[in-house]
Amino acid sequence: MKDAEKAPFPLDGGRARKKRPSKTRDNLVYAAVWLACAAPLVWLAFRAFTGDLGVNPIETLVRQLGVWGLRLLLVGLAITPAAAILRKPRLVRFQRTIGLFAFAYVSLHLLSYIGVDLYFDFGQLWKDILKRPFITLGMAAFVMLVPLAVTSTNGWVIRMGRAAWSRLHWLIYVIVPLGVAHYYLLVKADHRPPLVYAGILAVLLGWRVWRRFATR
Amino acid sequence: MLIRHRPDLTDNDVTDRGLYLRRREFITGVTGLGLAGLGGAASAAPLAFSKGFSTTEKPTPKDDITSYNNFYEFGVDKGDPAENAGRLKTRPWTVRVDGACEAPKTFDIDALIKGNKLEERIYRLRCVEGWSMVIPWVGFPLKDLIAAVKPTSKAKFVAFETLMRPSEMTGQKWDVLQWPYREGLRIDEAVHPLTLIAVGLYGETLPNQNGAPLRLVVPWKYGFKSIKSITRISLVDRQPPTAWNLSAPREYGFYSNVNPAVDHPRWSQATERRIGEFRRRDTLAFNGYGEWVADLYRGMDLKKFY
């Protein structure tokens, strides 16, 4: 990702090299991150099977998957600032896992909307995409997320070349704002929750703008 | 005042003979209820009622009706009202009925419950958000209440207002809507025999989260028209402001009749999810009550008067 490339600190050097954590500890930390990302899905699945999704379970399922997708996208965007501010450059290695989990949640969100909510009524889906701005934006964000997920492997970075790969992955700065707008537009009256996400996003993007000017 | 509508009394409207014969018990029963009400307790009390005009569809389970509510005075999430509405003191409670009428009056809620012939009406309720329920209300026609104050010819609309009491209705501390919640009907809609003042649900007094101690039920309109916890009803000569219309005029019109052909600007109204069902079902014009209410809107462009 572009952030990593331009990081104002050595990505694998400096202090990190001096006291590199043990392989076992590294794996444990990675497992913890993986489990943390999967936990909301496991919890949702458990609630679904025990009939604990409330009075309108389909709505709860679709919304929860969407909200977790958005949260993980924001966590993904928070990694680079966190790595720089905390001087923990190796945090960046979690970006791919978190991004792919975000993609998984967003995909399930879309799938549950099409398969469970609309029950594969593709005519209605098409009408929704054309007529409902919040669905138009959500679909646009998903479509852009697909190539990022596909090219997330090391092989693709090499095949595309670092620069082109970074340019493609710059799309995340379009996708996440679209995701927040998607949420904002579906809310009936209480806009506070989507505005909280918008605020966090503004800070994460603002930090990047600030850094670009500050390190010039 | 002459109000024209089709003969609306059917066999369903006739008081059940068994109930008629037990009318003295009935009176004792509601008196007892009134006394129980003096304690100000929020616990549900049984109501005596006859069977009125109803759908034969299976009612939504009571737990669902009482735990999935849009009642922003108690919070914006659907689970909030069930959690927070217990704070509301529904006794003493009065409803002021005034405006263009000869005999404006302040009614005590227990006198209203005692003084009106209660009936059960099982109605479909369609929320503007795209879900629906079937709800066994207990109440009396709004037209009876309006007739009691003798409306004058200036009464063209009816304006309703919910209680304003932020200490108990904590959602009112924040202006997600312009408080107090207000709603309105045209006079012919208000005196339509289907238009109900509900004081009960599933045979018992109304739970707070469903709009205790009395609420409006207009089954052919989106749910938000059915204003809850009413303290004031005014007969007026022009269309009154309404809460959701003030909040988003392009999205929520004054009429807000259930209409699958007129979408909400942000989502389709063609289908709905009946709570408890998996597949969406088609939404019916006037929520399936067109046979009785479509005449009210003859000649009106319902795309314009949404």
Side-chain angles (χ1 to χ4, degrees), chain A residues 55-56 58-59 115-119 124 128 131-134 184-192, chain B residues 64 67-68 70 72 76 128-129 131 174 176 244 252 263-268 273 275 278-280:
Chain A
V55 173
N56 198 344
I58 295 173
E59 184 189 69
V116 187
D117 193 6
L118 295 183
Y119 205 72
Q124 185 59 45
D128 276 355
K131 279 178 79 177
R132 319 282 158 223
F134 86 93
Y184 183 89
L185 285 177
L186 79 85
V187 166
K188 218 166 109 199
D190 179 15
H191 287 108
R192 288 173 300 178
Chain B
D64 291 351
S67 63
Y68 192 73
N70 277 322
Y72 281 21
V76 295
V128 73
E129 295 167 353
W131 53 268
W174 178 61
V176 62
W244 278 101
Y252 310 100
D263 286 340
H264 185 280
R266 288 182 287 146
W267 55 82
S268 163
R273 171 155 294 107
I275 293 302
F278 180 69
R279 293 283 298 270
R280 285 179 165 272

Side-chain angles (χ1 to χ4, degrees), chain B residues 1-239:
Chain B
M1 162 175 192
L2 178 69
I3 297 152
R4 287 178 207 276
H5 50 74
R6 284 190 267 175
D8 53 79
L9 288 172
T10 66
D11 286 355
N12 280 334
D13 295 314
V14 176
T15 304
D16 180 70
R17 181 169 167 80
L19 188 82
Y20 168 74
L21 292 173
R22 285 186 288 116
R23 64 195 180 277
R24 292 196 170 81
E25 271 174 65
F26 166 75
I27 291 164
T28 320
V30 281
T31 314
L33 173 69
L35 289 174
L38 285 178
S43 61
L47 293 169
F49 54 86
S50 61
K51 298 274 179 198
F53 177 97
S54 287
T55 170
T56 52
E57 289 162 286
K58 189 175 165 289
T60 304
K62 191 179 175 188
D63 278 352
D64 291 351
I65 297 173
T66 56
S67 63
Y68 192 73
N69 309 95
N70 277 322
F71 197 170
Y72 281 21
E73 282 84 342
F74 296 109
V76 295
D77 286 335
K78 294 204 179 46
D80 288 345
E83 208 165 293
N84 303 328
R87 257 180 241 140
L88 178 67
K89 291 191 187 73
T90 57
R91 294 292 187 287
W93 191 284
T94 58
V95 188
R96 175 79 187 155
V97 186
D98 60 8
C101 59
E102 286 168 22
K105 194 181 167 186
T106 302
F107 293 89
D108 176 71
I109 182 62
D110 295 312
L112 266 185
I113 292 174
K114 242 180 287 178
N116 282 281
K117 189 182 93 119
L118 301 186
E119 32 179 303
E120 181 174 72
R121 303 264 186 113
I122 307 174
Y123 281 161
R124 290 177 289 274
L125 178 132
R126 167 64 154 82
C127 177
V128 73
E129 295 167 353
W131 53 268
S132 63
M133 294 182 175
V134 176
I135 305 183
W137 302 110
V138 178
F140 55 88
L142 173 63
K143 66 182 164 99
D144 295 352
L145 185 57
I146 290 179
V149 297
K150 301 193 172 75
T152 67
S153 62
K154 285 209 173 106
K156 301 275 199 290
F157 291 88
V158 184
F160 304 83
E161 225 173 81
T162 294
L163 176 72
M164 179 77 185
R165 194 184 286 164
S167 59
E168 292 169 20
M169 293 180 145
T170 42
Q172 290 175 334
K173 289 178 179 168
W174 178 61
D175 286 340
V176 62
L177 293 170
Q178 287 182 39
W179 308 118
Y181 196 95
R182 279 161 287 176
E183 257 311 333
L185 294 173
R186 223 168 51 190
I187 190 75
D188 55 344
E189 298 174 324
V191 299
H192 191 281
L194 284 179
T195 305
L196 195 73
I197 289 289
V199 297
L201 170 74
Y202 265 106
E204 295 181 326
T205 48
L206 211 52
N208 285 3
Q209 62 267 38
N210 294 89
L214 82 164
R215 64 169 293 166
L216 182 67
V217 179
V218 196
W220 70 93
K221 292 175 180 283
Y222 293 119
F224 69 86
K225 292 293 290 182
S226 294
I227 185 170
K228 303 183 180 86
S229 304
I230 302 168
T231 55
R232 186 160 180 210
I233 300 174
S234 297
L235 301 159
V236 292
D237 63 352
R238 59 188 64 174
Q239 186 178 305

Side-chain angles (χ1 to χ4, degrees), chain A residues 52-143:
Chain A
D52 186 34
L53 287 178
V55 173
N56 198 344
I58 295 173
E59 184 189 69
T60 308
L61 182 74
V62 175
R63 296 234 168 132
Q64 283 298 306
L65 287 168
V67 158
W68 279 104
L70 190 57
R71 284 174 187 165
L72 285 178
L73 284 171
L74 288 172
V75 171
L77 280 185
I79 296 271
T80 304
I85 292 163
L86 302 172
R87 301 193 176 282
K88 299 261 190 226
R90 292 190 70 249
L91 277 179
V92 174
R93 73 189 188 284
F94 298 125
Q95 225 163 21
R96 172 160 52 198
T97 308
I98 290 168
L100 283 173
F101 261 106
F103 178 70
Y105 279 94
V106 172
S107 304
L108 288 171
H109 168 62
L110 177 65
L111 208 68
S112 60
Y113 159 65
I114 297 173
V116 187
D117 193 6
L118 295 183
Y119 205 72
F120 300 105
D121 182 348
F122 288 102
Q124 185 59 45
L125 173 67
W126 187 239
K127 267 193 252 167
D128 276 355
I129 293 173
L130 293 181
K131 279 178 79 177
R132 319 282 158 223
F134 86 93
I135 292 178
T136 317
L137 297 186
M139 277 305 289
F142 174 76
V143 167

